[in-house]
Structure formats: C-alpha cells, structure tokens
C-alpha cells in the first residue's frame, strides 16, 4: 500500500536515473523502452553524449523484443542539475561508481531533493544499503535494486533493504520492478555481494587463477562456458542442473555419489594475485578473442544473442 505521498507502483510515470554510465545508461534505455519518461543526470562533461550513444545502441534489441505503448527516445531528458532532476521523480534509480563515501553522500543529496515518500533505489553491485544510507535524512525509503549488465536485456533484479529501510519500501520496489517487466528476487536480508554476484565472482576468480597458472587461455575459458554449462543455465540454474546429473536419483544421488569430490583440490576461491603479468595476459586474450571487433560490435552481437535466447525460451 502506498503512502499518501508515494505513488503506487503502477502509477509511476517519471523515473530519474542518477549516473549514466554503462549500468545507469542501461537502466535509462530499459525504462524508456517500457514507456516511462526518464530524466537522467550525470556529472561527466560528456555524460549526455555518452548516454545517448548507449541508448541508441540498445534500441534495436529493445525494439526487437517489443516496446511498450508510448515508448520513445524522445521521452529522455538530460538534466545537468541533480536537484532539478530529482524533484521530478516518481522513482529514482542511482547508478554511481562503486565508491562507498561517494554513494553515501550522493544518496543523501538525492534524498534531500526527491519528493517525500518517493523510493530511492541503488544499483550497487557490492555495498549493502545499511552501509550507504547513513547520511540520508529519510533512510527508510532507500533500497538496493541490483541489476545485471546490460540492465536493458538481463531480466534479473535483486531487491534488498538496509537496517533502516522500511518493509513497505522493499515490497513496493519489488512490485514496481515486476510491473516494469523485471524478474525479481526479494532477498530476506542483506548478503555481502548479493546472490548472483557471489556465484559469478567464484567463476571469475577461478578463471583468473587458471590464466595465471597457464592452465587455460582466455579463449578456452570463454568457450568452456559458452559451449558447455552456459548452454544449460538459461534453462535451469546450477542446482537443478546437478539435480538432473544425479539421474533418477536426483540431487540426493548426486550429493551421495559425488559429494566426496567437493574435497578435491580443484578450485582456488581465494582471489588471484592480480600481477601486471596476469593483467596483461587477460587483456591480450580478450583482444585476441575480439579479433578486431569494436566494443560497439561486441555489444550488438551480445544483444542479438541474448534476444535470441530470451525468445527461444519464451521469456521475451
């Protein structure tokens, strides 16, 4: 139930996106495609130019998936004054860089400028809202809405409040994202790194260790996922995947039969030492794999692939 000053999730018309980098710009593109009016703010001198480039690059994939009624690039306004931008908000999505003190100060500034009751959501990929909301005069309306790159295509959003966030705001935010077309995990409590980031971080750490040890190249690691388990994960996640690996005995047989292998010294989940040599090896490997394709080329190729998967699974 909305407060007297907070619109109902279905009544949100203007979304303010604070921060317009890769994640913030992706949110801008998504909300525009869902038919919202979007006001964007970013402090970079070329912020508007970069944002409009990103949105134009995302629009073909969003168009292919299907635009909401009234969706238009013309519904985007870039506002150089943060307070003026926030004053227009029915909902705020903050996507500033991962700097805790920056987040704390920016959220307080947003809180001071945003109409009473309007929910303020953060795209943070690592910090808990409890760590970020301390300077806000109204921390009860601040919540994490953690997306995945690119936000305009990947459906998942993890929603979780901080110690001062009201339960009603968490419920409101989850409902809003669902109405906006997102797949929502409403977390029961704060977890360091959230859920999906914890899982992908484990894979990322292992990949870096393998490159550092000369056990696999960048190209081999990517191929091992795109042509291996990655083909199963759009259908079932790792738990149901291993449930099927147990045959008719399911997960019970899987754990009983393969459980001892969990003690095998295969993985090294402690972060790899990011030496200059490892850094260069990973960068060089990505350049080889890109094989002359620009970032824009790769973004378009990725978007076409994600759209094809979503359509094939009936999730478009």
């Amino acid at each position: 139930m909305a407060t007297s000053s907070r619109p109902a999730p279905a009544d949100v018309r203007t979304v303010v996106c604070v921060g317009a980098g890769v994640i913030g710009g992706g949110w801008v593109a998504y909300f525009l495609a869902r038919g919202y009016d979007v006001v964007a703010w970013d402090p970079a001198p070329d912020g508007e130019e970069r944002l409009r480039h990103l949105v134009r690059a995302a629009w073909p994939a969003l168009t292919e998936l299907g635009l909401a009624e009234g969706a238009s690039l013309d519904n985007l306004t870039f506002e150089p004054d943060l307070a003026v931008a926030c004053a227009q908000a029915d909902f705020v999505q903050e996507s500033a860089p991962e700097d805790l003190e920056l987040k704390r100060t920016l959220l307080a500034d947003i809180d001071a400028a945003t109409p009473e009751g309007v929910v303020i959501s953060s795209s943070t990929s690592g910090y808990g809202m409890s760590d970020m909301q301390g300077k806000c005069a109204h921390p009860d309306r601040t919540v994490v809405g953690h997306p995945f790159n690119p936000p305009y295509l990947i459906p998942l959003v993890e929603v979780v409040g901080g110690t001062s966030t009201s339960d009603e705001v968490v419920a409101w935010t989850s409902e809003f994202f669902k109405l906006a077309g997102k797949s929502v995990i409403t977390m029961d409590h704060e977890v360091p790194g959230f859920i999906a980031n914890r899982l992908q971080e484990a894979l990322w750490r292992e990949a870096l260790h393998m490159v550092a040890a000369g056990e696999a190249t960048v190209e081999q690691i990517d191929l091992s996922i795109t042509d291996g388990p990655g083909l199963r994960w759009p259908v079932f996640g790792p738990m149901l995947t291993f449930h099927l690996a147990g045959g008719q005995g399911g997960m019970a047989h899987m754990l009983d039969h393969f459980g001892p292998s969990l003690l095998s010294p295969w993985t090294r989940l402690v972060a790899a030492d990011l030496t200059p040599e490892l850094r260069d090896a990973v960068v060089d490997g990505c350049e080889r794999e890109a094989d002359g394709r620009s970032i824009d080329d790769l973004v378009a190729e990725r978007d076409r692939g994600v759209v094809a998967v979503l359509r094939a699974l009936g999730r478009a």
Side-chain angles (χ1 to χ4, degrees):
M1 183 175 177
T3 66
S4 58
S5 55
R6 179 181 302 130
D11 292 336
V12 170
R13 294 298 343 129
T14 300
V15 175
V16 172
C17 290
V18 176
V22 172
I23 299 299
W27 272 123
V28 169
Y30 183 77
F31 286 127
L32 286 171
R34 299 306 301 166
Y36 295 97
D37 294 325
V38 178
V39 179
W41 173 88
D42 191 280
D46 62 344
E48 180 173 6
E49 179 184 352
R50 289 189 294 105
L51 172 61
R52 293 192 183 276
H53 175 87
L54 188 155
V55 172
R56 286 194 300 270
W59 209 248
L62 288 164
T63 301
E64 187 172 349
L65 285 173
L67 302 175
E69 183 178 355
S72 171
L73 295 174
D74 294 336
N75 294 335
L76 170 60
T77 301
F78 190 91
E79 173 52 61
D81 188 308
L82 177 63
V84 172
C86 291
Q88 305 173 59
D90 295 323
F91 174 77
V92 177
Q93 185 70 32
E94 171 270 314
S95 305
E98 288 294 290
D99 178 306
L100 181 56
E101 193 54 37
L102 171 64
K103 293 273 196 185
R104 287 167 57 86
T105 300
L106 181 59
L107 285 171
D109 291 343
I110 295 170
D111 182 37
T114 301
E116 180 185 356
V118 168
V119 170
I120 301 167
S121 173
S122 175
S123 299
T124 179
S125 60
Y127 298 124
M129 183 48 72
S130 295
D131 296 324
M132 298 188 295
Q133 63 190 181
K135 291 186 176 181
C136 293
H138 308 94
D140 56 296
R141 61 168 169 171
T142 59
V143 64
V144 167
H146 173 228
F148 291 85
N149 190 35
Y152 59 86
L153 285 185
I154 306 300
L156 186 62
V157 177
E158 294 171 318
V159 174
V160 60
T163 53
S164 298
T165 307
S166 77
D167 292 341
E168 189 272 325
V169 164
V170 173
W172 186 100
T173 307
S174 296
E175 179 64 15
F176 167 72
F177 280 129
K178 289 175 184 176
L179 290 172
K182 287 292 188 180
S183 173
V184 178
I185 293 176
T186 305
M187 298 175 62
D188 297 328
H189 51 79
E190 291 178 297
V191 173
F194 311 108
I195 298 172
N197 265 3
R198 287 273 291 273
L199 294 171
Q200 68 177 4
E201 175 73 9
L203 184 61
W204 172 234
R205 290 187 178 196
E206 195 63 27
L208 290 178
H209 275 296
M210 294 179 79
V211 173
E215 296 169 339
T217 66
V218 167
E219 298 94 329
Q220 289 170 337
I221 287 169
D222 279 351
L223 188 63
S224 76
I225 298 301
T226 60
D227 285 23
L231 292 173
R232 302 183 301 211
W233 290 339
V235 183
F236 295 129
M239 292 300 188
L240 273 185
T241 293
F242 281 123
H243 179 59
L244 296 181
Q248 294 303 313
M251 181 61 85
H253 177 72
M254 175 67 185
L255 292 174
D256 294 341
H257 188 68
F258 294 104
S261 70
L262 294 174
L263 300 178
S264 299
W266 291 354
T267 62
R268 314 172 189 85
L269 291 184
V270 175
D273 184 9
L274 190 56
T275 64
E277 293 77 14
L278 176 55
R279 183 260 185 203
D280 291 345
V282 173
V283 171
D284 292 345
C286 288
E287 292 296 334
R288 288 195 307 271
E289 193 173 357
D291 195 25
R293 291 170 292 179
S294 69
I295 293 296
D296 284 351
D297 293 336
L298 292 170
V299 165
E301 185 175 332
R302 176 200 64 192
D303 289 1
R304 287 193 299 270
V306 172
V307 168
V309 169
L310 290 171
R311 282 193 158 173
L313 295 175
R315 297 179 186 172

